[in-house]
Amino acid sequence: MSLTFYPDKPAEWLEALAVVKLRIDDENLPSEQRETMSDTLGSAHTRALDSDTRVRTLDAQLSAARGVRDKKNTQTDRLLIRLSDEMRYRNGSKGFQVLRSAFGGKNPSVVADQPHDDQLSDTDKFFIEVDARADLDLPTARVDELRASHLEFKDAHRAVRDLISEHALASTTAKDDLAAVKPLYRTMVRRVLAIHGEETAVALLPRFTR
């Protein structure tokens, strides 16, 4: 095995950039050493680190948003089945068929098992039908709680989709920023070695095992 000043894997690059940022910001180091690094890198290392932090922040936000969405989805599913069961109990198969007709001929259990976008679309159509037809004779309390839950689910689903788009954009930016700083970092390593010597380079810069 040997040691090298040049990172390879993404995690090594981020580690190297974080260390160099600390060195540049360390006022206890000789100014000429810090300037050799900062003059070569400019703000490229900071941009790459900030972009990575943004992606990690969005990772956490997206995970939390998916948890909220899934909870709202489960709650809405339960209320949908509860409404279906109550219609069966009150009016037998006739009551169930009334509810089924309001869902465009689909069983409520089928609607609940659909992908999120399809379920939300069918439930939107259901409420349009409910609001337009007074003859459906559905239990008002059950319909109202389903409506409230559906709207919460819809908002949570939209939040996830927005974060997915934001995460994709941030990931592309992070990838581009990391690619941009790599040649500058390699040049910086060569300059530190040429100007300050290997002993100083070892003290300033991280090394990686190969």
Side-chain angles (χ1 to χ4, degrees):
M1 290 193 301
S2 61
L3 293 174
T4 178
F5 289 108
Y6 300 100
D8 180 27
K9 299 174 182 177
E12 292 178 348
W13 277 105
L14 293 170
E15 177 187 346
L17 296 176
V19 169
V20 168
K21 184 178 186 303
L22 288 174
R23 299 289 187 262
I24 292 173
D25 294 342
D26 187 354
E27 296 182 356
N28 294 318
L29 289 177
S31 60
E32 60 271 18
Q33 295 177 9
R34 296 164 59 204
E35 288 169 2
T36 299
M37 293 183 286
S38 63
D39 288 351
T40 308
L41 293 174
S43 60
H45 64 301
T46 301
R47 283 198 303 274
L49 289 170
D50 288 346
S51 293
D52 178 69
T53 298
R54 179 60 179 157
V55 171
R56 292 174 186 272
T57 299
L58 287 169
D59 281 339
Q61 291 177 350
L62 186 53
S63 177
R66 281 178 169 140
V68 171
R69 179 204 59 192
D70 291 347
K71 182 178 179 180
K72 297 300 182 183
N73 181 202
T74 300
Q75 173 182 283
T76 303
D77 289 348
R78 284 201 302 264
L79 292 173
L80 184 54
I81 299 304
R82 183 183 298 174
L83 174 60
S84 176
D85 290 344
E86 183 162 330
M87 287 297 290
R88 283 180 185 274
Y89 178 77
R90 284 177 50 186
N91 305 104
S93 61
K94 181 181 177 181
F96 178 74
Q97 291 306 319
V98 167
L99 183 60
R100 191 171 182 272
S101 70
F103 274 107
K106 290 183 180 179
N107 289 346
S109 60
V110 171
V111 174
D113 286 339
Q114 291 182 131
H116 296 141
D117 285 328
D118 293 336
Q119 179 179 350
L120 288 166
S121 176
D122 283 346
T123 309
D124 278 339
K125 293 173 184 175
F126 166 76
F127 283 114
I128 292 173
E129 187 76 3
V130 168
D131 293 341
R133 291 180 56 188
D135 63 300
L136 287 176
D137 189 29
L138 300 177
T140 302
R142 291 283 180 255
V143 171
D144 287 347
E145 64 182 1
L146 176 60
R147 190 193 301 270
S149 183
H150 167 69
L151 292 174
E152 291 175 357
F153 173 32
K154 192 173 181 178
D155 287 343
H157 183 60
R158 185 183 299 112
V160 169
R161 286 192 306 181
D162 289 347
L163 282 169
I164 287 174
S165 298
E166 192 174 352
H167 186 277
L169 179 61
S171 296
T172 298
T173 299
K175 183 179 179 180
D176 291 346
D177 287 345
L178 187 58
V181 79
K182 286 180 178 181
L184 298 176
Y185 186 92
R186 295 185 185 104
T187 299
M188 183 268 301
V189 170
R190 292 193 292 271
R191 290 193 67 204
V192 170
L193 286 167
I195 297 171
H196 304 291
E198 185 170 356
E199 184 176 345
T200 298
V202 169
L204 287 176
L205 306 174
R207 293 186 294 170
F208 305 94
T209 303
R210 296 288 179 263

